[in-house]
Amino acid sequence: MSTTKPAAEETEERTVRRPFAAFLQEQSGGQLHEELSTRLHELIEAVRETGKAGAIALRIDVKPIAGTDGRTVTVTDTVTSKVPRTERPKSIFFVDDTGNLSRTDPRQPVITGLREVEPTPAPTQLRSAK
C-alpha cells in the first residue's frame, strides 16, 4: 500500500515569508529586540574588558490557545545571558588563635623602638664635574 501526496502539495514548497528579525522587533511590543540589543552591547563590552567569553540565549515558547483551531497562539520569550565578570581583588589575612582574621601575622614578633627618618632634602643647585 503506497501513499501519494496530492499534486498541489508536491509542487508547493514551504517558504519563509517573514524574516525572524521582523518577529524580534514586534515580540513583546518591541521589548525583546530592545533587550537583546542592550544585552549584546553589555556582553561585548564585558568580553573586551575581561578577555573572557560570554553568551546570550533566547528561548521562544509557542503555545496554542485552548478552544481555537491551533492558528491562534501565545508567544513568550526568555532572554538569559552569561556575562563575564572581572575578578575582584584578593586580600591576605592571618588567622589568630581565636579564629579571627587579622591583617598582621600574630606570630610575627613586634619590633619596638623604630622611628621614621626624615628624608634628606634634594640639592637645590646641580654642579657639573669636569
Side-chain angles (χ1 to χ4, degrees), residues 22-70:
F23 162 77
L24 289 177
Q25 290 176 329
E26 291 181 3
Q27 173 62 11
S28 299
Q31 290 177 357
L32 174 60
H33 185 263
E34 181 67 29
E35 181 180 1
L36 286 170
S37 297
T38 300
R39 287 202 187 193
L40 179 60
H41 178 74
E42 291 169 351
L43 176 63
I44 291 168
E45 191 64 30
V47 167
R48 290 181 67 199
E49 286 178 8
T50 65
K52 297 177 184 178
I56 296 176
L58 169 62
R59 177 184 170 120
I60 298 172
D61 294 303
V62 181
K63 180 180 176 183
I65 295 177
T68 66
D69 63 356

Side-chain angles (χ1 to χ4, degrees), residues 112-118:
T112 59
L114 296 178
R115 63 180 176 84
E116 189 172 323
V117 177
E118 294 293 325

Side-chain angles (χ1 to χ4, degrees), residues 1 5 8 15 19 22 29 44 57 65 73 75 90 98 104 110 112 114:
M1 178 171 166
K5 294 181 181 179
T15 58
I44 291 168
I65 295 177
V73 297
V75 179
K90 298 176 184 172
T98 58
T104 58
V110 178
T112 59
L114 296 178

